[in-house]
């Protein structure tokens, strides 16, 4: 059993992938070839974002978003305490200061009730200029954007939506990647829409920002590549990867439907033993992860038992971001993020992909039965 079964997915579209690879070998336009532009159009149609700027990975997508907003030293960016390190890392790279907000236990996303208090506190300290809120749609589930937008408007902040895990999700009919002022995603192989290497994209509706993002992507180019008018990056998506993504996008909705059914099955069975994710009306998750919370302190024991039974599991995340060593200088304390700390001790992610079989389910449920019969 695989945690994410990329092999089964590949088998399904292997012929199309081979054709796509060969086609790139034939036309030879390896950098910003026709597949890149076609993919950007398709992603724009899918999400409703007017402009899609594909790029090298989800981390560079976040850096590009921060750069286009001119965020740097002396600025504050408010973000969740619970995400993959890239979220905070890109803020640190610009020289700005990440200010962390604890999360909501039921969604693993930023707690909008605490966000406003944290912003007020930062303003009162009068050391940093509040510039943006970087939200994360963790495990595929959108954050609460109505409330986040209200707060952003009140304090005149931009919203950067880190949808690295959430391509395919929806919030009251609107697509993830298009819920903030700038959206970003990742096409790392294990993400909801993944290629066979690194890839990412930035999503905006503003024409001017789109132009600047395209310039940042290619060394801050002006009229051409050797007319450099700002500091940028080398952050292009390979043509080969764009071709892979075009093929994967064709089966994406079908896979997401299958994953949605799997989440239902999981929830119905496992809720007798553990807390399972609950998706409220209006929220559609991309199911990047299916993450349960144990009710006691048995997480590591359960994980070891499942692994012994041949069931792969992962822990996202073993530490809230502010408590990572790379952030030692900021002096954040565990007491400031009680919910994130609790989640880091109780969460466990189970296999989640469109190709889980009935046999896999039987094995997983038997393993849970056996474990909890001894508790
Ligand atoms: C994966 C991920 C990223 C980084 O994406 P890469 O393509 O690996 O650079 C950023 N933020 C979150 C929340 C992620 O899960």
């Amino acid at each position: 059993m695989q945690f994410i079964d990329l092999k089964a997915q590949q088998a399904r579209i292997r012929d199309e992938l081979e054709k796509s690879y060969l086609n790139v070998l034939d036309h030879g336009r390896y950098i910003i070839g026709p597949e890149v532009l076609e993919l950007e159009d398709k992603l724009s149609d899918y999400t409703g974002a007017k402009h899609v700027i594909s790029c090298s990975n989800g981390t560079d997508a976040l850096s590009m978003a921060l750069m286009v907003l001119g965020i740097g030293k002396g600025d504050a960016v408010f973000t969740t305490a619970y995400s993959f390190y890239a979220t905070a890392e890109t803020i640190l790279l610009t020289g700005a200061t990440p200010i962390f907000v604890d999360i909501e236990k039921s969604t693993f996303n930023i707690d909008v009730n605490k966000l406003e208090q944290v912003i007020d506190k930062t303003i009162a300290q009068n050391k940093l200029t509040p510039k943006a809120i970087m939200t994360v749609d963790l495990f595929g589930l959108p954050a609460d954007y109505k409330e986040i937008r209200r707060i952003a408007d009140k304090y005149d902040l931009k919203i950067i939506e880190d949808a690295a895990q959430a391509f395919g999700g929806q919030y009251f009919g609107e697509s993830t990647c298009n819920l903030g002022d700038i959206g970003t995603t990742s096409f790392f192989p294990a993400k909801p829409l993944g290629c066979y290497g690194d890839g990412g994209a930035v999503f905006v509706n503003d024409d001017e920002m789109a132009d600047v993002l395209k310039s940042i992507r290619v060394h801050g180019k002006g009229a051409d590549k050797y007319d450099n008018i700002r500091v940028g990056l080398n952050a292009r998506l390979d043509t080969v990867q764009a071709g892979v993504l075009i093929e994967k996008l064709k089966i994406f909705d079908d896979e997401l439907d299958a994953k949605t059914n799997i989440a239902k099955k999981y929830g119905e069975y496992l809720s007798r033993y553990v807390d399972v994710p609950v998706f409220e009306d209006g929220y559609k998750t991309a199911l990047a992860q299916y993450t349960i919370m144990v009710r006691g302190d048995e997480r590591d024991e359960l994980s070891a038992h499942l692994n012994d039974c041949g069931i792969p599991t992962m822990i996202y995340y073993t530490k809230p971001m502010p408590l990572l060593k790379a952030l030692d200088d900021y002096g954040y304390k565990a007491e400031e993020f009680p919910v994130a700390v609790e989640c880091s001790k109780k969460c466990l992610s189970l296999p989640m992909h469109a190709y889980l079989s009935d046999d896999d389910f039987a094995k997983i449920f038997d393993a849970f039965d056996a474990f909890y019969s001894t508790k």
Side-chain angles (χ1 to χ4, degrees), residues 20-250:
S20 172
Y21 271 99
L22 290 175
N23 193 38
V24 176
L25 291 183
D26 285 342
H27 72 53
R29 292 166 67 187
Y30 311 120
I31 304 288
I32 318 268
E35 285 82 355
V36 174
L37 305 176
E38 184 186 338
L39 174 72
E40 289 178 342
D41 281 347
K42 293 209 151 99
L43 295 175
S44 168
D45 287 347
Y46 192 93
T47 57
K50 186 171 174 198
H51 302 283
V52 177
I53 298 92
S54 64
C55 66
S56 38
N57 57 64
T59 307
D60 286 346
L62 287 171
S63 289
M64 288 165 68
L66 290 157
M67 287 165 83
V68 76
L69 294 177
I71 288 169
K73 206 170 169 5
D75 295 335
V77 179
F78 303 93
T79 192
T80 171
Y82 208 64
S83 179
F84 176 57
Y85 173 54
T87 307
E89 185 184 33
T90 51
I91 299 169
L92 293 165
L93 258 173
T94 66
T97 303
I99 309 275
F100 298 99
V101 181
D102 203 5
I103 57 168
E104 228 180 32
K105 196 168 158 182
S106 56
T107 63
F108 296 99
N109 279 328
I110 192 165
D111 186 336
V112 291
N113 297 312
K114 292 180 188 159
L115 174 60
E116 216 166 333
Q117 293 165 24
V118 173
I119 297 172
D120 281 335
K121 197 173 141 201
T122 305
I123 291 171
Q125 285 170 343
N126 200 24
K127 284 190 193 133
L128 298 165
T129 311
K131 280 281 173 72
I133 303 167
M134 188 182 279
T135 56
V136 177
D137 304 329
L138 205 76
F139 305 146
L141 184 71
D144 183 358
Y145 286 92
K146 271 184 205 136
E147 195 54 21
I148 291 164
R149 175 60 70 192
R150 183 190 67 74
I151 295 168
D153 287 348
K154 177 173 168 189
Y155 295 96
D156 196 20
L157 303 172
K158 294 287 187 206
I159 302 171
I160 300 172
E161 178 193 8
D162 178 354
Q165 303 183 5
F167 182 86
Q170 284 185 6
Y171 178 79
F172 294 93
E174 301 286 327
S175 291
T176 54
C177 303
N178 195 26
L179 298 172
D181 297 297
I182 307 184
T184 67
T185 200
S186 163
F187 303 127
F188 182 80
K191 306 281 175 168
L193 179 64
C195 56
Y196 294 136
D198 280 305
V202 186
F203 302 75
V204 282
N205 291 300
D206 185 274
D207 299 342
E208 206 176 310
M209 275 210 275
D211 286 343
V212 177
L213 286 162
K214 282 180 196 161
S215 162
I216 291 173
R217 175 171 67 178
V218 187
H219 302 287
K221 75 179 170 87
D224 67 58
K225 197 169 149 177
Y226 302 110
D227 170 35
N228 308 90
I229 58 173
R230 60 171 61 80
V231 174
L233 301 166
N234 174 5
R236 294 168 298 229
L237 177 72
D238 294 350
T239 305
V240 169
Q241 299 304 342
V244 169
L245 289 164
I246 289 169
E247 294 310 323
K248 289 222 198 173
L249 193 57
K250 290 178 189 162

Side-chain angles (χ1 to χ4, degrees), residues 353-366:
H353 55 81
Y355 308 95
L356 276 175
S357 66
D358 287 344
D359 282 354
D360 293 334
F361 272 116
K363 202 166 158 185
I364 294 167
F365 295 163
D366 283 352

Side-chain angles (χ1 to χ4, degrees), residues 314-334:
M314 298 288 274
I315 296 169
Y316 297 116
Y317 296 92
T318 51
K319 260 188 192 179
M321 273 196 299
L323 306 183
L324 292 170
K325 186 163 170 36
L327 285 136
D328 268 1
D329 288 353
Y330 293 82
Y332 283 110
K333 305 255 180 314

